[in-house]
Protein backbone atom coordinates (compact mmCIF):
# COMPACT_ATOMS: atom_id res chain seq x y z
CA UNK A 1 0.00 0.00 0.00
CA UNK A 2 1.24 3.46 -0.89
CA UNK A 3 0.38 6.45 1.32
CA UNK A 4 1.14 10.08 0.49
CA UNK A 5 0.96 11.06 4.17
CA UNK A 6 3.56 8.46 5.09
CA UNK A 7 5.81 9.35 2.16
CA UNK A 8 5.66 13.03 3.11
CA UNK A 9 6.54 12.20 6.72
CA UNK A 10 3.43 13.84 8.16
CA UNK A 11 1.99 10.58 9.59
CA UNK A 12 3.98 7.52 10.60
CA UNK A 13 1.24 5.72 12.54
CA UNK A 14 1.41 2.79 10.10
CA UNK A 15 4.93 1.69 10.94
CA UNK A 16 5.00 -1.07 8.30
CA UNK A 17 3.70 1.10 5.46
CA UNK A 18 5.52 0.29 2.21
CA UNK A 19 6.33 -3.31 3.13
CA UNK A 20 4.83 -6.00 0.89
CA UNK A 21 1.67 -7.31 2.49
CA UNK A 22 2.61 -10.98 2.13
CA UNK A 23 5.85 -10.23 3.98
CA UNK A 24 3.93 -8.45 6.77
CA UNK A 25 1.70 -11.49 7.31
CA UNK A 26 4.65 -13.90 7.19
CA UNK A 27 6.51 -11.86 9.82
CA UNK A 28 3.49 -11.83 12.12
CA UNK A 29 2.98 -15.57 11.69
CA UNK A 30 6.63 -16.23 12.51
CA UNK A 31 6.35 -14.06 15.61
CA UNK A 32 3.26 -15.95 16.78
CA UNK A 33 4.91 -19.32 16.31
CA UNK A 34 8.04 -18.10 18.08
CA UNK A 35 6.08 -16.92 21.12
CA UNK A 36 4.05 -20.13 21.33
CA UNK A 37 7.00 -22.44 20.67
CA UNK A 38 7.08 -23.65 24.32
CA UNK A 39 3.84 -25.52 23.51
CA UNK A 40 4.80 -27.87 20.65
CA UNK A 41 2.28 -29.62 18.48
CA UNK A 42 -0.08 -26.70 17.87
CA UNK A 43 -2.08 -27.14 14.67
CA UNK A 44 -1.74 -23.75 12.95
CA UNK A 45 -4.52 -22.84 10.56
CA UNK A 46 -3.63 -20.62 7.58
CA UNK A 47 -3.47 -16.91 8.49
CA UNK A 48 -6.67 -14.97 7.94
CA UNK A 49 -5.72 -11.91 5.91
CA UNK A 50 -7.37 -8.55 5.39
CA UNK A 51 -7.63 -6.13 2.50
CA UNK A 52 -4.47 -4.00 2.60
CA UNK A 53 -6.46 -0.76 2.54
CA UNK A 54 -10.02 0.43 3.01
CA UNK A 55 -10.62 -1.99 5.90
CA UNK A 56 -11.27 0.24 8.93
CA UNK A 57 -14.95 0.70 9.82
CA UNK A 58 -14.11 3.36 12.40
CA UNK A 59 -12.38 6.73 12.06
CA UNK A 60 -11.06 8.32 15.26
CA UNK A 61 -10.05 11.80 14.17
CA UNK A 62 -8.47 14.51 16.29
CA UNK A 63 -10.02 17.85 15.33
CA UNK A 64 -7.70 20.81 14.95
CA UNK A 65 -7.36 23.97 12.89
CA UNK A 66 -10.05 26.62 12.99
CA UNK A 67 -13.81 26.88 12.57
CA UNK A 68 -13.29 28.10 9.00
CA UNK A 69 -10.67 25.45 8.16
CA UNK A 70 -10.89 22.47 10.52
CA UNK A 71 -8.47 19.56 10.27
CA UNK A 72 -9.49 15.95 10.90
CA UNK A 73 -6.59 13.66 11.65
CA UNK A 74 -3.78 13.85 14.19
CA UNK A 75 -1.73 16.49 15.98
CA UNK A 76 1.87 17.40 15.23
CA UNK A 77 4.46 17.56 18.07
CA UNK A 78 3.48 21.17 18.75
CA UNK A 79 -0.18 20.23 19.16
CA UNK A 80 -1.42 21.61 15.83
CA UNK A 81 -3.78 19.71 13.56
CA UNK A 82 -2.67 17.59 10.60
CA UNK A 83 -5.49 16.76 8.20
CA UNK A 84 -5.73 13.06 7.24
CA UNK A 85 -9.15 12.93 5.61
CA UNK A 86 -7.65 10.97 2.73
CA UNK A 87 -6.30 8.14 4.93
CA UNK A 88 -6.44 4.97 2.84
CA UNK A 89 -7.15 2.69 5.80
CA UNK A 90 -10.77 3.82 6.11
CA UNK A 91 -13.59 2.13 4.25
CA UNK A 92 -14.33 4.28 1.16
CA UNK A 93 -17.81 5.38 2.28
CA UNK A 94 -16.40 6.30 5.68
CA UNK A 95 -13.68 8.39 4.08
CA UNK A 96 -16.28 10.11 1.91
CA UNK A 97 -18.19 11.20 5.03
CA UNK A 98 -15.27 13.08 6.57
CA UNK A 99 -15.35 16.19 4.32
CA UNK A 100 -19.09 16.53 5.03
CA UNK A 101 -18.41 16.39 8.77
CA UNK A 102 -15.65 18.98 8.40
CA UNK A 103 -18.18 21.24 6.67
CA UNK A 104 -20.58 20.70 9.57
CA UNK A 105 -17.94 21.97 11.99
CA UNK A 106 -17.92 25.23 10.03
CA UNK A 107 -21.70 25.45 9.60
CA UNK A 108 -22.33 24.83 13.32
CA UNK A 109 -19.47 27.16 14.31
CA UNK A 110 -17.92 24.61 16.67
CA UNK A 111 -14.38 25.78 17.50
CA UNK A 112 -11.84 22.94 17.41
CA UNK A 113 -10.02 22.42 20.67
CA UNK A 114 -6.56 23.98 20.58
CA UNK A 115 -4.18 21.97 22.75
CA UNK A 116 -1.45 24.62 23.21
CA UNK A 117 -3.87 27.31 24.40
CA UNK A 118 -6.45 24.95 25.96
CA UNK A 119 -9.27 26.77 24.17
CA UNK A 120 -12.05 25.54 21.94
CA UNK A 121 -14.71 22.85 22.13
CA UNK A 122 -14.46 19.99 19.61
CA UNK A 123 -11.72 17.49 20.47
CA UNK A 124 -12.48 14.41 18.39
CA UNK A 125 -14.84 13.05 15.78
CA UNK A 126 -15.46 9.29 16.04
CA UNK A 127 -17.31 7.83 13.07
CA UNK A 128 -18.33 4.18 12.64
CA UNK A 129 -19.81 2.63 9.49
CA UNK A 130 -22.05 -0.44 9.57
CA UNK A 131 -21.81 -3.19 6.90
CA UNK A 132 -25.07 -1.86 5.46
CA UNK A 133 -23.62 1.66 5.16
CA UNK A 134 -25.24 3.47 8.09
CA UNK A 135 -23.13 5.81 10.19
CA UNK A 136 -22.69 6.49 13.88
CA UNK A 137 -21.18 9.95 14.45
CA UNK A 138 -19.88 11.00 17.85
CA UNK A 139 -18.71 14.51 18.71
CA UNK A 140 -16.28 14.60 21.64
CA UNK A 141 -16.66 18.06 23.19
CA UNK A 142 -15.19 19.90 26.14
CA UNK A 143 -18.62 21.19 27.21
CA UNK A 144 -22.25 21.36 26.09
CA UNK A 145 -21.84 24.91 24.72
CA UNK A 146 -21.99 23.84 21.06
CA UNK A 147 -24.67 21.15 21.40
CA UNK A 148 -27.64 23.34 20.36
CA UNK A 149 -25.82 24.39 17.18
CA UNK A 150 -24.92 20.80 16.30
CA UNK A 151 -28.51 19.74 16.93
CA UNK A 152 -29.76 22.51 14.65
CA UNK A 153 -27.56 21.25 11.79
CA UNK A 154 -28.64 17.59 12.03
CA UNK A 155 -31.33 17.88 9.30
CA UNK A 156 -28.68 19.32 6.95
CA UNK A 157 -26.28 16.50 7.87
CA UNK A 158 -28.95 13.82 7.47
CA UNK A 159 -29.60 14.96 3.89
CA UNK A 160 -25.95 14.26 3.03
CA UNK A 161 -25.02 11.23 5.13
CA UNK A 162 -26.82 7.97 6.07
CA UNK A 163 -27.03 8.85 9.76
CA UNK A 164 -28.26 6.20 12.16
CA UNK A 165 -26.85 7.42 15.49
CA UNK A 166 -25.47 10.83 16.46
CA UNK A 167 -24.21 11.59 19.95
CA UNK A 168 -22.14 14.02 21.96
CA UNK A 169 -19.51 12.79 24.38
CA UNK A 170 -18.18 15.15 27.05
CA UNK A 171 -14.49 15.10 27.88
CA UNK A 172 -13.79 18.33 29.79
CA UNK A 173 -10.29 17.51 31.03
CA UNK A 174 -7.07 18.61 29.36
CA UNK A 175 -5.40 15.24 28.95
CA UNK A 176 -4.72 12.65 26.27
CA UNK A 177 -7.98 10.73 26.69
CA UNK A 178 -10.14 9.97 23.67
CA UNK A 179 -13.52 10.32 25.35
CA UNK A 180 -15.27 10.90 28.66
CA UNK A 181 -17.90 8.97 30.60
CA UNK A 182 -20.94 11.16 29.82
CA UNK A 183 -22.78 10.62 26.51
CA UNK A 184 -25.83 12.46 25.18
CA UNK A 185 -27.57 10.84 22.23
CA UNK A 186 -28.99 13.33 19.72
CA UNK A 187 -30.31 10.87 17.12
CA UNK A 188 -31.12 7.17 17.03
CA UNK A 189 -30.13 4.49 19.49
CA UNK A 190 -27.92 1.68 18.14
CA UNK A 191 -26.00 0.96 14.95
CA UNK A 192 -26.64 -2.51 13.56
CA UNK A 193 -23.41 -4.38 12.79
CA UNK A 194 -24.33 -7.54 10.89
CA UNK A 195 -21.75 -10.35 10.98
CA UNK A 196 -22.90 -13.45 9.15
CA UNK A 197 -26.30 -14.43 10.49
CA UNK A 198 -25.96 -12.35 13.68
CA UNK A 199 -27.03 -8.75 14.18
CA UNK A 200 -24.97 -6.95 16.80
CA UNK A 201 -26.26 -3.60 18.07
CA UNK A 202 -23.59 -1.02 18.82
CA UNK A 203 -24.25 1.87 21.20
CA UNK A 204 -22.03 4.97 21.17
CA UNK A 205 -19.67 3.75 23.90
CA UNK A 206 -19.67 0.09 22.87
CA UNK A 207 -16.67 -1.69 21.37
CA UNK A 208 -16.67 -3.42 18.00
CA UNK A 209 -13.74 -4.78 16.01
CA UNK A 210 -12.51 -2.03 13.66
CA UNK A 211 -11.97 -4.52 10.81
CA UNK A 212 -15.40 -5.93 9.93
CA UNK A 213 -14.05 -8.54 7.49
CA UNK A 214 -11.55 -10.04 9.93
CA UNK A 215 -13.84 -9.60 12.94
CA UNK A 216 -16.54 -11.67 11.24
CA UNK A 217 -13.95 -14.34 10.38
CA UNK A 218 -12.84 -14.46 14.02
CA UNK A 219 -16.42 -15.13 15.12
CA UNK A 220 -16.76 -17.87 12.49
CA UNK A 221 -13.56 -19.55 13.62
CA UNK A 222 -14.63 -19.72 17.25
CA UNK A 223 -18.09 -20.83 16.13
CA UNK A 224 -16.55 -23.75 14.21
CA UNK A 225 -14.49 -24.87 17.18
CA UNK A 226 -17.45 -24.63 19.54
CA UNK A 227 -19.73 -26.56 17.18
CA UNK A 228 -17.15 -29.34 17.11
CA UNK A 229 -16.90 -29.40 20.92
CA UNK A 230 -20.70 -29.08 21.37
CA UNK A 231 -20.60 -27.58 24.88
CA UNK A 232 -23.85 -27.46 26.83
CA UNK A 233 -22.76 -24.27 28.60
CA UNK A 234 -20.52 -21.36 27.58
CA UNK A 235 -19.18 -18.25 29.28
CA UNK A 236 -18.04 -15.32 27.15
CA UNK A 237 -15.79 -13.22 29.41
CA UNK A 238 -14.92 -9.66 28.32
CA UNK A 239 -17.86 -10.12 25.96
CA UNK A 240 -18.19 -6.52 24.76
CA UNK A 241 -21.41 -6.20 22.76
CA UNK A 242 -21.81 -9.99 22.81
CA UNK A 243 -20.10 -10.99 19.58
CA UNK A 244 -18.85 -14.42 20.62
CA UNK A 245 -21.82 -15.18 22.88
CA UNK A 246 -24.39 -14.50 20.17
CA UNK A 247 -22.49 -16.45 17.53
CA UNK A 248 -22.23 -19.44 19.89
CA UNK A 249 -25.94 -19.46 20.82
CA UNK A 250 -27.64 -22.73 19.94
CA UNK A 251 -30.95 -24.33 21.01
CA UNK A 252 -30.43 -26.06 24.34
CA UNK A 253 -27.05 -24.39 24.99
CA UNK A 254 -26.72 -21.96 27.89
CA UNK A 255 -24.59 -18.93 26.99
CA UNK A 256 -23.65 -16.19 29.44
CA UNK A 257 -21.61 -13.06 28.64
CA UNK A 258 -19.82 -10.89 31.20
CA UNK A 259 -18.64 -7.35 30.46
CA UNK A 260 -17.78 -4.42 32.71
CA UNK A 261 -19.28 -1.81 30.34
CA UNK A 262 -22.95 -1.20 31.13
CA UNK A 263 -23.45 0.29 27.66
CA UNK A 264 -21.98 -2.77 25.96
CA UNK A 265 -24.17 -5.10 28.01
CA UNK A 266 -27.24 -3.07 27.07
CA UNK A 267 -26.27 -3.52 23.41
CA UNK A 268 -25.75 -7.26 23.89
CA UNK A 269 -29.14 -7.65 25.54
CA UNK A 270 -30.80 -5.85 22.63
CA UNK A 271 -29.13 -8.23 20.20
CA UNK A 272 -30.13 -11.27 22.27
CA UNK A 273 -33.84 -10.43 22.36
CA UNK A 274 -35.82 -13.61 21.75
CA UNK A 275 -32.96 -15.99 22.62
CA UNK A 276 -34.08 -17.70 25.86
CA UNK A 277 -30.75 -19.35 26.75
CA UNK A 278 -28.52 -16.27 26.29
CA UNK A 279 -27.94 -13.76 29.09
CA UNK A 280 -25.49 -11.00 29.97
CA UNK A 281 -24.10 -9.61 33.22
CA UNK A 282 -22.54 -6.18 33.73
CA UNK A 283 -19.55 -6.96 35.95
CA UNK A 284 -15.79 -7.20 36.05
CA UNK A 285 -14.99 -10.53 34.37
CA UNK A 286 -12.37 -11.60 36.91
CA UNK A 287 -14.36 -10.67 40.02
CA UNK A 288 -17.47 -12.33 38.62
CA UNK A 289 -15.68 -15.57 37.70
CA UNK A 290 -13.97 -15.80 41.08
CA UNK A 291 -17.37 -15.63 42.76
CA UNK A 292 -18.68 -18.69 40.87
CA UNK A 293 -18.54 -22.14 42.45
CA UNK A 294 -18.51 -24.09 39.20
CA UNK A 295 -17.58 -23.39 35.61
CA UNK A 296 -19.13 -24.16 32.21
CA UNK A 297 -18.06 -26.59 29.50
CA UNK A 298 -16.36 -23.82 27.50
CA UNK A 299 -14.98 -20.41 28.43
CA UNK A 300 -14.21 -17.80 25.77
CA UNK A 301 -11.96 -14.91 26.80
CA UNK A 302 -11.28 -11.82 24.71
CA UNK A 303 -9.36 -9.53 27.06
CA UNK A 304 -7.72 -6.16 26.39
CA UNK A 305 -3.99 -6.00 25.69
CA UNK A 306 -3.07 -6.60 29.32
CA UNK A 307 -4.46 -10.14 29.12
CA UNK A 308 -6.65 -11.95 31.65
CA UNK A 309 -4.14 -11.61 34.50
CA UNK A 310 -2.99 -13.91 37.28
CA UNK A 311 -6.28 -14.03 39.22
CA UNK A 312 -8.49 -15.17 36.35
CA UNK A 313 -5.78 -17.48 35.00
CA UNK A 314 -5.52 -19.04 38.45
CA UNK A 315 -9.29 -19.50 38.65
CA UNK A 316 -9.37 -21.20 35.24
CA UNK A 317 -6.45 -23.41 36.23
CA UNK A 318 -8.37 -24.74 39.21
CA UNK A 319 -11.82 -24.69 37.64
CA UNK A 320 -12.00 -28.01 35.83
CA UNK A 321 -13.30 -26.26 32.67
CA UNK A 322 -12.31 -28.65 29.85
CA UNK A 323 -11.79 -26.10 27.05
CA UNK A 324 -10.94 -22.41 26.76
CA UNK A 325 -10.86 -20.26 23.64
CA UNK A 326 -8.48 -17.33 24.10
CA UNK A 327 -8.71 -14.48 21.58
CA UNK A 328 -5.71 -12.20 22.07
CA UNK A 329 -4.64 -8.87 20.64
CA UNK A 330 -1.30 -9.15 22.46
CA UNK A 331 0.49 -12.48 22.10
CA UNK A 332 3.05 -11.51 24.76
CA UNK A 333 0.39 -11.37 27.49
CA UNK A 334 -1.25 -14.48 26.02
CA UNK A 335 1.98 -16.38 26.66
CA UNK A 336 2.19 -15.02 30.19
CA UNK A 337 -1.36 -16.16 30.89
CA UNK A 338 -0.71 -19.61 29.39
CA UNK A 339 2.29 -20.01 31.69
CA UNK A 340 -0.07 -19.43 34.63
CA UNK A 341 -2.37 -22.24 33.38
CA UNK A 342 -0.11 -25.31 33.06
CA UNK A 343 -3.09 -27.69 32.94
CA UNK A 344 -4.08 -26.24 29.57
CA UNK A 345 -2.37 -26.94 26.28
CA UNK A 346 -3.00 -24.88 23.12
CA UNK A 347 -3.97 -27.40 20.45
CA UNK A 348 -5.05 -25.10 17.60
CA UNK A 349 -4.27 -21.52 16.71
CA UNK A 350 -4.82 -18.98 13.97
CA UNK A 351 -3.38 -15.58 13.19
CA UNK A 352 -5.91 -12.97 12.10
CA UNK A 353 -4.43 -9.85 10.56
CA UNK A 354 -6.81 -7.31 12.02
CA UNK A 355 -4.35 -4.42 11.61
CA UNK A 356 -2.45 -4.37 8.27
CA UNK A 357 0.44 -1.91 7.89
CA UNK A 358 1.32 -2.29 11.58
CA UNK A 359 3.01 -4.89 13.78
CA UNK A 360 -0.26 -5.59 15.64
CA UNK A 361 -2.35 -8.70 15.09
CA UNK A 362 -4.97 -10.94 16.67
CA UNK A 363 -4.34 -14.60 17.47
CA UNK A 364 -7.00 -17.05 18.61
CA UNK A 365 -6.12 -20.31 20.35
CA UNK A 366 -8.09 -23.35 21.46
CA UNK A 367 -6.90 -24.61 24.85
CA UNK A 368 -7.53 -28.15 26.05
CA UNK A 369 -7.20 -29.29 29.65
CA UNK A 370 -4.62 -32.07 29.89
CA UNK A 371 -4.47 -32.65 33.64
CA UNK A 372 -0.70 -32.06 33.62
CA UNK A 373 0.53 -29.65 36.31
Amino acid sequence: MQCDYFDAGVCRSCTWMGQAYDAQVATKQARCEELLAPWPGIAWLPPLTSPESGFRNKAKMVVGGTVEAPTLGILDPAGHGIDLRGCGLHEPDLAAALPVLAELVTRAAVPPYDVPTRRGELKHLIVTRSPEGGLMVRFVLRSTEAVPRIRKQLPWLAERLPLVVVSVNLQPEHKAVLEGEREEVLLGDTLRMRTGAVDLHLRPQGFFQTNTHVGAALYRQVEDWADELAPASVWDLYCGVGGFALHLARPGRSVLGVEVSVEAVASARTSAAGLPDVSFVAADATSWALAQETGPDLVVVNPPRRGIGADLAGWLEGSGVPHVVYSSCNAVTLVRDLEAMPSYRPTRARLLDMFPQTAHFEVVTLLERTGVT
Side-chain angles (χ1 to χ4, degrees):
M1 176 181 170
Q2 185 273 332
C3 174
D4 291 339
Y5 300 123
F6 186 88
D7 293 343
V10 297
C11 178
R12 292 301 176 97
S13 299
C14 296
T15 53
W16 285 13
M17 185 65 68
Q19 296 185 32
Y21 185 57
D22 288 348
Q24 292 183 30
V25 175
T27 300
K28 294 179 183 185
Q29 180 69 32
R31 177 59 173 159
C32 272
E33 295 185 17
E34 175 191 8
L35 287 168
L36 293 174
W39 296 270
I42 298 174
W44 284 94
L45 295 171
L48 198 291
T49 58
S50 166
E52 289 186 55
S53 61
F55 59 84
R56 284 189 62 95
N57 59 35
K58 177 183 282 189
K60 297 185 288 188
M61 314 299 282
V62 180
V63 183
T66 64
V67 169
E68 296 76 17
T71 62
L72 307 183
I74 59 175
L75 300 179
D76 66 16
H80 301 127
I82 296 175
D83 196 88
L84 301 178
R85 282 180 243 178
C87 175
L89 300 186
H90 297 140
E91 293 180 0
D93 288 351
L94 182 57
L98 296 179
V100 180
L101 291 168
E103 186 176 351
L104 176 91
V105 172
T106 302
R107 290 180 61 91
V110 186
Y113 184 69
D114 183 70
V115 172
T117 64
R118 303 190 180 191
R119 295 178 179 174
E121 288 293 323
L122 181 56
K123 295 185 172 183
H124 300 95
L125 271 172
I126 306 173
V127 191
T128 304
R129 179 184 179 273
S130 76
E132 291 80 16
L135 296 178
M136 175 188 290
V137 178
R138 301 175 64 207
F139 298 87
V140 181
L141 299 169
R142 190 172 67 161
S143 75
T144 59
E145 186 273 333
V147 172
R149 299 195 299 279
I150 293 173
R151 196 187 292 273
K152 182 179 179 180
Q153 293 297 326
L154 287 184
W156 175 90
L157 190 63
E159 290 178 356
R160 289 155 180 81
L161 296 178
L163 299 179
V164 177
V165 180
V166 177
S167 69
V168 165
N169 178 274
L170 296 180
Q171 205 295 81
E173 299 183 67
H174 180 79
K175 59 183 182 180
V177 175
L178 180 65
E179 60 187 79
E181 295 182 1
R182 181 181 165 189
E183 195 94 17
E184 180 180 348
V185 178
L186 307 183
L187 174 71
D189 184 15
T190 64
L191 182 68
R192 188 178 73 170
M193 305 295 287
R194 188 165 184 81
T195 57
V198 175
D199 284 341
L200 301 175
H201 291 81
L202 184 64
R203 291 175 185 269
Q205 292 184 305
F207 169 79
F208 187 81
Q209 299 286 1
T210 57
N211 189 322
T212 304
H213 169 74
V214 178
L218 173 61
Y219 293 140
R220 287 195 302 270
Q221 182 61 73
V222 176
E223 211 176 345
D224 289 346
W225 286 345
D227 284 346
E228 184 179 333
L229 296 171
S233 55
V234 177
W235 290 355
D236 178 8
L237 304 183
Y238 309 95
C239 71
V241 296
F244 287 116
L246 292 161
H247 282 83
L248 299 185
R250 297 289 185 274
R253 176 185 293 168
S254 170
V255 180
L256 189 148
V258 183
E259 166 60 44
V260 72
S261 167
V262 174
E263 278 287 287
V265 168
S267 296
R269 287 172 176 163
T270 298
S271 301
L275 298 175
D277 295 325
V278 180
S279 60
F280 295 92
V281 175
D284 173 76
T286 298
S287 299
W288 183 88
L290 266 59
Q292 309 309 306
E293 295 182 1
T294 60
D297 298 325
L298 172 67
V299 171
V300 179
V301 294
N302 183 29
R305 291 188 60 80
R306 65 177 181 272
I308 65 174
D311 289 343
L312 183 53
W315 185 90
L316 286 168
E317 175 65 15
S319 68
V321 172
H323 291 94
V324 175
V325 172
Y326 193 133
S327 180
S328 171
C329 60
N330 184 351
V332 173
T333 55
L334 165 64
V335 168
R336 184 201 64 199
D337 291 335
L338 289 176
E339 290 171 345
M341 299 186 291
S343 294
Y344 288 100
R345 178 174 64 92
T347 58
R348 304 182 200 178
R350 191 171 198 182
L351 168 77
L352 299 103
D353 192 22
M354 198 82 70
F355 314 103
Q357 317 307 332
T358 76
H360 300 294
F361 55 83
E362 192 95 8
V363 59
V364 61
T365 58
L366 174 62
L367 312 181
E368 180 179 324
R369 182 175 287 277
T370 64
V372 177
T373 61

